[in-house]
């Protein structure tokens, strides 16, 4: 084992749609109201949709909860145009979401998450090593705390014109969640319960013809005067002999006298009865939600509690989550209204599986390094009576010390982790109506949480024993006030407001780590460190003070123009910034007044807003305090020099859109073209080391995003008893890094664990994978060197992690009380680098490495020699396998395209007359997620599982667990 060192899917909507005249004016009216109705916009302000001059999209909360989603962000995948979601199927793992591409090289590219007006922190605590595929646990995002059962609607504000009122924090757009509240005049009790089952799906196919070792025959050992066949225990590769039931040997578990039924027992050299797939279990998710909504004379109250328990596909892993929510609104007088939303969330994870190229990554041991004859039923006996490990990867037959790999059951039961997050978030506010035209709003938004993470490596592991403890605290409060004035002047309407916001955020981190291993086995405490434990801490404090305002003018209900402005004063940078936006819309359906046109609007918008406003303390250069030496304190200067004059990155957005619906809303579309340019990119510029620094923070460079986002709605059939609705979302974005600084051509974002790099390179899309390619002759033939390996080019771009386009295609059917809905989710293009493919071929683990059971014949690579003649150099199988490492990186770079049946839901609402008056409603729904995937370049890896964080580091697969399918059922009772 190498040790770690530092097709296009075309969907055609037929023009010959089945048109059934329902003569149902009520449905048509509802559809029109939905198109022209009220939506939630920035700052939680409700606006008429026809007056908006920017792109936004709303989806209902039922779409999320009905599909059994536990993550309210990943549920957006395929449902929203202009949005790219990467949602790996790891237990509670990170979800990466971007809108309209990537705009910052080093800064944040995720949208702002808003829940009931609260800017919800969505920090990702995964280490850099975890994110680059070098090993670590994915602790997910803080957005996992949003409860899908409480969501009423989700409004996606896709660009600068839509989100400009939020200032720099929403430079990448905003996702606004509105939770459920009690409805006036109604009392309702609901109980929702569901169970889901998760099974492994996409994973590398392993060869089942050859066992472990490096030679074609088993080694022999003289034990107690008798000669036995044994395996090459210390090797974790599978270039050993071909399976032969007439060949007998002593296995890894044959040398422990306390296991009498295995001691010195010979075994057949055959494929295992219980293979890697048998290690994984059927994961389960249990969800129970209870809510009470009560309407009093002047007060509406909704109380909700949800309990979620997830048991992962890896044994001994689980997540427990409790959500408690209280939503209160009360009319205190004719002029004064009070409201508040309070949420408490407790998330507890135990033993989230390590992924990537790490010592405790079972995926790395299963698919990259190992011996294929291992039986997983035998591996379950992983521990001796004295507490020490029984590893298959023994140093030798008479030395059970693990050489490279732990027994996978030792890994999951002894080298565990635990995490817990306690969170409070919500808001309280007052609204006072001075008159019918003037009112004022004052609110306080709060988001406070603490997070504890501990992890351990047991004494007796292949790696050094260790205990690590991390504690984080985060708090953010926003104090906001607004005054609104709305009026009509003949044919003109005016909606305007002005306000302020004061944001105050603090967060701190404390980390402790053992040094030199642990003394007493099983005691996980920093005081058990063999040497003095190392402790570090850091604290951060940022603030932004803002003034903002908006003026919207309408004429005869068909022509609207709106201007907004926000000025931010930052604690992180010296100069304040002003962010303007101008939008306009023309509702031409109000003018044309034709029967075939139900609604039509053309809109345009422009905005200028910070895409990334810098991290705390970026202006200064601060010494770090190092571990004392010989009792004397040590200090060192950072590698990057700060810049007092640093300013935010500036993003300028231009967009134009067209919305229309026809034939009583049977056909409709919404198309947006946008052009986004980001200037003053914040990058660390390389310096001459003689200056004392390696880099200096500067503003430089330019990045552009140009694209189209489209949504099409079609209702081919609509009758009293049956309806069929089709929704198609499409997103195509072209990203380009135009310039960095002077002659600087690329900025290296990170390195993969062994080969390849991820970079921002001038002239290319963001996230270029750099590595070696094949060398081709003038006729396009691959060139083979004297050693029989393919010749490798110089380091060059091998493709970007960004896709060419994404789209979703949902069909919804309704027959009386029976409903059926399914979503096809498509990604075309993008690249990723696979460490699993590289090492799996190197070590003889993957199916392709078996050469169809004829390894003995060797391999002659297709291509030509350097003199132009056909290659005839024969390589033995193991030598050929080794060529996947350290030669041509392009062999391990794959297209990230996929077509997925993302979800399918079947539901039935029982008629009220069948419920006997006890229930007001009863709904049964069955669902499945990620049921099928097609168009995969490397069949063994799901392209979405090449993400181990929600930040900029993506597309470097270091060792991923299998992706999963999920099946489940939900029961909803209304009293």
């Amino acid at each position: 084992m190498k040790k770690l060192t530092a097709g296009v899917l075309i969907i055609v909507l037929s023009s010959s749609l089945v048109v059934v005249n329902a003569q149902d004016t009520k449905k048509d009216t509802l559809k029109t109201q939905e198109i022209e109705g009220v939506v939630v916009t920035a700052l939680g302000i409700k606006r008429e949709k026809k007056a908006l001059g920017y792109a936004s999209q709303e989806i209902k909360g039922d779409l999320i909860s009905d599909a059994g989603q536990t993550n309210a962000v990943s549920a957006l995948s395929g449902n929203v145009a202009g949005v790219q979601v990467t949602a790996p199927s790891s237990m509670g793992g990170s979800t990466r979401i971007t809108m309209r591409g990537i705009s910052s090289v080093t800064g944040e590219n995720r949208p702002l998450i808003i829940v009931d007006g609260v800017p919800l922190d969505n920090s990702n605590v995964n280490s850099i090593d975890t994110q680059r595929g070098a090993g670590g646990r994915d602790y997910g995002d803080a957005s996992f705390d949003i409860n899908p059962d409480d969501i009423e609607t989700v409004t996606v504000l896709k660009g600068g014109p839509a989100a400009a009122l939020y200032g720099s924090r929403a430079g990448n757009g905003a996702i606004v969640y509105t939770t459920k509240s009690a409805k006036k005049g109604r009392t309702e009790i609901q109980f929702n319960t569901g169970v889901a089952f998760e099974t492994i799906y996409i994973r590398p196919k392993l060869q089942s013809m050859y066992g472990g070792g490096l030679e074609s025959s088993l080694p022999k050992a003289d034990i107690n005067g008798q000669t036995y066949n044994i395996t090459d225990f210390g090797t974790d590769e599978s270039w050993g002999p071909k399976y032969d039931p007439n060949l007998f040997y002593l296995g890894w578990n044959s040398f422990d006298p306390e296991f009498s039924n295995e001691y010195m027992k010979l075994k057949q050299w055959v494929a295992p009865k219980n293979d890697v797939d048998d290690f994984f279990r059927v994961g389960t998710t249990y969800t129970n939600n209870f809510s009470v909504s009560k309407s009093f004379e002047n007060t509406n109250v909704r109380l909700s509690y949800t309990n979620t328990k997830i048991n992962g596909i890896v044994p001994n892993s689980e997540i427990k989550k409790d959500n408690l929510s209280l939503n209160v609104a009360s009319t205190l007088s004719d002029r004064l209204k009070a409201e508040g939303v309070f949420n408490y969330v407790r998330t507890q994870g135990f033993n989230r599986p390590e992924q990537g190229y790490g010592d405790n990554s079972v995926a790395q041991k299963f698919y990259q390094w190992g011996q294929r004859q291992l039986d997983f039923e035998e591996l379950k006996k992983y521990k001796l009576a004295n507490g020490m490990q029984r590893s298959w990867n023994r140093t030798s037959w008479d030395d059970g010390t693990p050489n490279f790999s732990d027994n996978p059951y030792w890994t999951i039961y002894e080298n565990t982790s635990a995490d817990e997050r306690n969170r409070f978030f919500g808001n309280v506010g007052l609204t006072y109506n001075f008159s019918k035209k003037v009112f004022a709003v004052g609110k306080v938004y709060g988001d406070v949480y603490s997070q504890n993470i501990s992890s351990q490596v047991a004494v007796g592991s292949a790696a050094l024993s260790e205990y690590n403890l991390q504690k984080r605290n985060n708090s953010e409060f926003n104090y906001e006030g607004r005054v609104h004035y709305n009026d009509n002047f003949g044919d003109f309407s005016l909606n305007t407001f002005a306000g302020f916001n004061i944001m105050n955020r603090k967060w701190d981190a404390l980390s402790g780590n053992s040094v030199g291993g642990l003394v007493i086995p099983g005691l996980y405490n920093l005081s058990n460190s063999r040497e003095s434990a190392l402790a570090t801490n850091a604290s951060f404090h940022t603030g932004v003070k803002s003034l903002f305002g908006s003026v919207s003018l309408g004429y005869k209900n068909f022509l609207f123009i709106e201007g907004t402005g926000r000025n931010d004063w930052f604690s992180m940078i010296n100069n304040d910034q002003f962010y303007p936006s101008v939008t306009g819309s023309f509702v031409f359906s109000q003018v044309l007044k034709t029967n075939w046109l139900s609604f039509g609007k053309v809109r345009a918008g422009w905005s200028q807003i910070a895409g990334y406003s810098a991290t705390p303390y970026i202006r200064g250069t601060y010494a770090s305090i190092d571990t004392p030496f010989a009792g004397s304190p040590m200090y060192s200067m950072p590698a990057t020099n700060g810049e007092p004059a640093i300013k935010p990155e500036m993003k300028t957005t231009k967009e134009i859109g067209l919305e229309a619906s026809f034939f009583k809303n049977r056909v409709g579309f919404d198309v947006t073209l946008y052009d986004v340019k980001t200037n003053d990119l914040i990058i660390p510029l390389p310096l001459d080391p003689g200056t004392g620094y390696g880099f200096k923070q500067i503003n430089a460079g330019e990045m552009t995003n140009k694209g189209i986002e489209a949504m099409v709605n079609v209702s081919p059939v609509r009758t009293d008893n049956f309806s069929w609705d089709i929704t198609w979302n499409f997103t195509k974005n072209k990203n380009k890094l135009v310039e960095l600084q002077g002659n600087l051509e690329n900025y290296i974002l990170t390195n993969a664990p062994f080969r390849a790099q991820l970079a921002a390179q001038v002239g290319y899309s963001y996230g270029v994978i750099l590595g070696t390619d094949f060398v081709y002759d003038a006729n396009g033939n691959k060139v083979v060197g004297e050693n029989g390996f393919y010749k490798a080019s110089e380091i060059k771009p091998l493709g970007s992690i960004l896709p060419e386009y994404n789209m979703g295609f949902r069909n919804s059917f309704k027959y009386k009380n029976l409903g059926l809905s399914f979503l096809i989710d498509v990604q075309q293009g993008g690249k990723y680098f696979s460490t699993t493919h590289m090492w799996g071929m190197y070590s003889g683990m993957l199916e392709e490495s078996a050469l169809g059971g004829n390894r003995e014949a060797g391999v002659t690579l297709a291509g030509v020699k350097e003199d132009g003649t056909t290659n005839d150099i024969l390589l033995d199988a193991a030598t050929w396998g080794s060529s996947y490492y350290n030669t041509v990186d392009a062999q391990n770079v794959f297209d990230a395209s996929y077509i997925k049946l993302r979800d399918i839901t079947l539901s039935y609402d029982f008629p009220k007359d069948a419920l006997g008056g006890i229930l007001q409603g009863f709904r049964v729904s069955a669902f499945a997620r990620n049921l099928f995937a097609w168009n995969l370049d490397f069949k063994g890896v799901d392209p979405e599982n090449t993400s181990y964080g929600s930040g900029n580091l993506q597309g470097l697969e270091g060792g991923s667990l299998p992706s999963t399918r999920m099946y489940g059922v939900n029961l909803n009772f209304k009293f």
Side-chain angles (χ1 to χ4, degrees):
M1 183 179 93
K2 298 293 182 182
K3 280 295 183 181
L4 178 61
T5 52
V8 180
L9 175 68
I10 302 176
I11 299 177
V12 179
L13 300 178
S14 173
S15 59
S16 57
L17 295 169
V18 180
V19 178
V20 181
N21 291 322
Q23 297 181 350
D24 190 342
T25 56
K26 182 179 179 180
K27 288 184 179 179
D28 289 338
T29 302
L30 289 174
K31 196 75 172 181
T32 302
Q33 289 174 348
E34 182 179 331
I35 292 173
E36 300 183 0
V38 175
V39 296
V40 177
T41 64
L43 305 181
I45 298 170
K46 293 183 179 180
R47 298 283 307 280
E48 288 185 291
K49 190 173 182 181
K50 64 185 177 183
L52 302 182
Y54 48 76
S56 66
Q57 188 172 339
E58 182 179 274
I59 64 173
K60 302 299 183 183
D62 291 345
L63 196 67
I64 297 174
S65 57
D66 284 353
Q69 293 280 1
T70 57
N71 189 305
V73 175
S74 63
L76 301 179
S77 181
N79 286 307
V80 181
V83 174
Q84 182 194 354
V85 180
T86 303
S89 54
S90 55
M91 185 183 72
S94 305
T95 297
R96 183 183 189 235
I97 181 167
T98 57
M99 298 184 193
R100 297 182 176 179
I102 300 295
S103 59
S104 177
V105 172
T106 60
E108 182 60 75
N109 285 290
R110 289 180 291 172
L112 178 65
I113 304 292
I114 302 287
V115 181
D116 293 324
V118 180
L120 203 69
D121 178 73
N122 193 28
S123 296
N124 187 291
V125 300
N126 296 347
S127 68
I128 297 298
D129 276 347
T130 301
Q131 296 178 61
R132 70 185 184 93
R137 303 179 194 268
D138 185 354
Y139 292 102
D141 305 308
S143 64
F144 184 72
D145 293 339
I146 302 172
N147 182 20
D149 283 310
D150 286 337
I151 296 172
E152 182 78 36
T153 61
V154 185
T155 303
V156 182
L157 306 176
K158 301 176 184 178
L165 280 169
Y166 283 117
S168 62
R169 304 185 70 186
N172 302 306
I175 303 173
V176 182
Y177 292 88
T178 303
T179 62
K180 297 174 182 177
S181 59
K183 302 299 185 288
K184 190 172 183 179
R186 292 172 55 186
T187 298
E188 185 177 82
I189 299 174
Q190 284 198 47
F191 176 64
N192 189 71
T193 183
V195 60
F197 303 95
E198 191 175 18
T199 59
I200 60 172
Y201 177 29
I202 300 170
R203 68 277 195 196
K205 293 183 178 179
L206 301 172
Q207 60 90 2
S208 57
M209 297 181 180
Y210 297 86
L214 295 175
E215 304 294 337
S216 59
S217 60
L218 289 175
K220 299 181 183 299
D222 188 353
I223 304 174
N224 297 327
Q226 187 172 345
T227 302
Y228 295 92
N229 290 321
I230 60 172
T231 59
D232 187 357
F233 298 111
T235 297
D236 54 359
E237 300 181 40
S238 284
W239 297 107
K242 195 170 185 177
Y243 289 137
D244 180 356
N246 297 313
L247 181 63
F248 291 85
Y249 73 106
L250 291 177
W252 67 275
N253 56 341
S254 300
F255 307 103
D256 300 312
E258 64 188 75
F259 292 89
S260 57
N261 59 335
E262 297 175 348
Y263 183 63
M264 298 305 292
K265 297 293 178 65
L266 291 172
K267 305 163 65 174
Q268 289 179 299
W269 186 250
V270 294
K273 294 180 180 178
N274 303 281
D275 209 340
V276 169
D277 285 359
D278 297 293
F279 169 84
F280 299 101
R281 66 182 179 182
V282 175
T284 56
T285 299
Y286 300 96
T287 305
N288 292 285
N289 169 259
F290 179 77
S291 65
V292 180
S293 299
K294 176 68 175 177
S295 176
F296 300 95
E297 181 177 355
N298 295 313
T299 303
N300 298 325
V301 180
R302 182 179 184 270
L303 178 66
S304 171
Y305 170 71
T306 301
N307 173 262
T308 305
K309 183 177 180 181
I310 303 172
N311 298 304
I313 58 170
V314 173
N316 201 37
S317 63
E318 69 175 19
I319 294 177
K320 298 177 182 178
K321 185 171 70 166
D322 296 281
N323 291 78
L324 181 64
S325 174
L326 177 64
N327 191 318
V328 181
S330 181
T331 301
L332 302 179
S333 71
D334 292 341
R335 294 179 179 270
L336 184 62
K337 178 183 177 181
E339 55 190 340
V341 180
F342 308 92
N343 295 275
Y344 169 68
V345 189
R346 185 184 188 189
T347 304
Q348 296 174 290
F350 178 75
N351 205 27
R352 297 179 193 248
E354 181 168 330
Q355 299 207 66
Y357 197 93
D359 289 315
N360 292 306
S361 170
V362 293
Q364 184 235 62
K365 311 303 181 187
F366 293 166
Y367 305 117
Q368 297 182 28
W369 301 100
Q371 296 192 354
R372 291 293 297 121
Q373 79 283 355
L374 300 174
D375 190 293
F376 276 72
E377 189 63 32
E378 296 177 352
L379 286 168
K380 288 181 178 179
K381 302 173 184 177
Y382 70 88
K383 191 162 58 171
L384 296 169
N386 63 4
M388 288 295 98
Q389 181 186 176
R390 301 179 78 210
S391 172
W392 61 268
N393 191 209
R394 303 168 65 95
T395 301
S396 63
W397 73 266
D398 56 353
D399 183 356
T401 304
N403 196 24
F404 297 125
S405 296
D406 291 322
N407 185 310
Y409 292 96
W410 173 275
T411 298
I412 63 171
Y413 286 109
E414 305 297 328
N415 297 346
T416 60
S417 73
D419 61 277
E420 180 176 333
R421 182 167 58 236
N422 288 278
R423 186 174 203 162
F424 296 88
F425 66 94
N427 71 78
V428 292
L430 294 173
T431 300
Y432 187 81
N433 293 283
F434 293 94
S435 68
K436 293 182 179 180
K437 300 177 181 179
V438 181
F439 66 93
V441 179
K443 286 196 172 183
V444 178
Y445 304 98
D447 178 19
V448 179
Y449 69 83
S450 62
Q451 184 173 31
N452 299 328
I453 300 173
S454 64
S455 61
Q456 62 195 47
V457 176
V459 174
S461 301
L464 182 69
S465 58
E466 180 184 38
Y467 178 64
N468 177 267
L469 182 64
Q470 301 174 50
K471 293 181 177 291
R472 293 179 174 86
N473 295 288
N474 182 89
S475 69
E476 178 179 326
F477 289 92
N478 283 266
Y479 308 90
E480 185 175 287
R482 304 191 308 267
V483 176
H484 292 249
Y485 174 69
N486 303 323
D487 204 352
N488 291 288
F489 307 93
D491 293 334
F492 293 90
S493 62
L494 176 68
N495 294 86
T496 182
F497 64 85
F500 71 90
N501 183 280
I502 300 173
M503 186 274 281
N504 195 322
R505 184 186 177 200
K506 297 179 180 180
W507 70 102
D508 60 70
L510 174 65
S511 177
N513 207 84
S514 62
V515 177
L518 302 177
V519 179
I520 303 173
L523 177 59
Y524 297 103
N525 191 290
L526 293 177
S527 61
N528 192 36
S529 176
R530 190 165 292 277
E531 299 177 25
S532 297
L534 178 64
T536 59
N537 71 292
S539 298
F540 305 88
H541 185 191
T542 64
V544 180
K545 297 178 180 179
S546 310
L547 293 176
F548 55 81
S550 171
V551 177
S552 177
L553 186 64
Y555 176 70
K556 287 189 175 181
N557 221 28
F558 71 84
L559 187 62
F560 301 89
I561 185 169
E562 180 177 351
T564 73
R566 178 173 176 130
N567 204 90
D568 286 345
W569 290 265
F570 304 94
S571 66
M572 301 86 74
I573 56 180
N574 285 328
N575 299 326
D576 63 302
Q577 294 289 326
F578 178 70
Y579 306 124
S581 78
V582 179
T583 61
S585 63
F586 171 48
V587 185
F588 55 83
S589 56
Q590 295 278 22
V591 179
L592 295 179
K593 300 290 186 182
T594 61
N595 292 329
W596 53 270
L597 179 63
S598 305
F599 178 75
K601 182 178 78 171
V602 62
R603 49 182 164 75
W606 173 91
S607 71
Q608 197 168 64
I609 188 172
Y612 168 52
S613 58
T615 56
Y617 315 120
I618 194 172
R619 290 179 294 170
T621 305
Y622 305 98
S624 60
I625 304 173
D626 300 326
T627 304
F629 177 76
S632 299
M634 294 181 62
Y635 305 90
S636 63
M637 295 303 291
T640 303
N641 190 13
E643 172 52 61
I646 204 78
K647 55 186 178 180
E649 300 178 353
M650 191 59 64
K651 179 187 287 189
T652 303
T653 300
K654 295 178 285 187
E655 68 176 61
I656 186 170
L658 177 64
E659 300 174 48
S661 62
F662 310 92
F663 313 118
K664 296 183 179 180
N665 307 307
R666 301 293 291 276
V667 180
F669 64 84
D670 185 342
V671 179
T672 304
L673 298 173
Y674 60 85
D675 185 327
V676 182
K677 180 185 293 186
T678 308
N679 296 102
D680 292 328
L681 301 176
I682 297 176
I683 59 172
L685 180 70
L687 296 176
D688 184 336
T691 64
Y693 300 96
F695 304 90
K696 178 180 178 61
Q697 297 282 9
I698 64 168
N699 288 108
E702 177 182 312
M703 187 182 291
T704 61
N705 288 277
K706 299 179 180 180
I708 180 173
E709 52 197 31
M711 180 175 64
V712 177
N713 295 294
V714 181
S715 298
V717 180
R718 192 188 300 163
T719 70
D720 289 335
N721 292 325
F722 181 74
S723 65
W724 174 21
D725 296 305
I726 300 170
T727 302
W728 176 65
N729 291 304
F730 178 81
T731 304
K732 182 176 176 63
N733 180 76
K734 180 62 177 177
N735 172 275
K736 184 178 181 180
L737 180 60
V738 178
E739 179 188 2
L740 280 173
Q741 165 69 18
N743 295 324
L744 184 63
E745 289 296 315
N746 64 33
Y747 174 74
I748 302 301
L749 299 168
T750 193
N751 299 306
F754 293 91
R755 301 282 298 181
Q757 296 176 312
L758 191 67
Q761 180 143 335
V762 172
Y764 293 85
S765 294
Y766 177 88
V768 168
I769 297 173
L770 297 180
T772 55
D773 199 354
F774 296 99
V775 173
Y776 297 91
D777 69 5
N779 297 317
N781 298 307
K782 296 175 183 176
V783 178
V784 178
E786 294 180 356
N787 59 1
F789 290 179
Y790 285 121
K791 288 185 68 66
S793 72
E794 73 285 355
I795 301 295
K796 61 193 299 187
L798 302 177
S800 167
I801 62 173
L802 300 182
E804 296 175 22
Y805 65 80
N806 293 84
M807 65 180 172
F809 185 66
R810 181 176 290 280
N811 278 267
S812 300
F813 304 89
K814 183 78 173 178
Y815 176 69
K816 293 186 178 179
N817 293 337
L818 184 67
L820 173 66
S821 173
F822 66 87
L823 172 66
I824 303 291
D825 193 4
V826 181
Q827 176 169 293
Q828 178 63 39
K831 300 289 185 180
Y832 68 89
F833 178 85
S834 175
T835 304
T836 291
H837 187 266
M838 179 180 72
W839 289 132
M841 292 300 296
Y842 181 102
S843 62
M845 296 287 286
L846 297 184
E847 184 179 57
E848 184 183 351
S849 70
L851 296 172
N854 192 21
R855 281 180 173 176
E856 294 72 20
V859 177
T860 301
L861 298 178
V864 298
K865 296 180 180 179
E866 294 180 79
D867 61 6
T869 60
T870 301
N871 177 45
D872 59 0
I873 302 174
L874 182 66
L875 301 174
D876 65 81
T879 301
W880 161 70
S882 70
S883 71
Y884 281 83
Y885 168 69
N886 209 27
T887 56
V888 178
D889 295 323
Q891 297 178 104
N892 306 303
V893 174
F894 297 95
D895 193 287
S897 300
Y898 60 77
I899 303 170
K900 290 188 177 184
L901 179 54
R902 179 66 72 181
D903 66 59
I904 181 170
T905 305
L906 178 66
S907 62
Y908 182 74
D909 291 281
F910 284 81
K912 282 190 177 182
D913 55 9
L915 301 177
I918 301 175
L919 297 174
Q920 296 299 311
F922 176 45
R923 187 180 199 191
V924 179
S925 59
F927 62 85
R929 295 209 309 271
N930 298 322
L931 202 56
F932 297 105
W934 305 272
N935 201 35
L936 301 183
D937 189 10
F938 175 25
K939 307 302 181 185
V941 169
D942 184 337
E944 288 192 279
N945 276 22
T946 64
S947 170
Y948 311 109
S950 55
N952 294 339
L953 306 185
Q954 303 285 314
L956 301 178
E957 188 272 328
S960 296
L961 289 167
S963 69
T964 60
R965 288 169 165 154
M966 183 169 280
Y967 318 82
V969 62
N970 275 329
L971 303 178
N972 180 265
F973 303 86
K974 292 182 180 180
F975 299 91

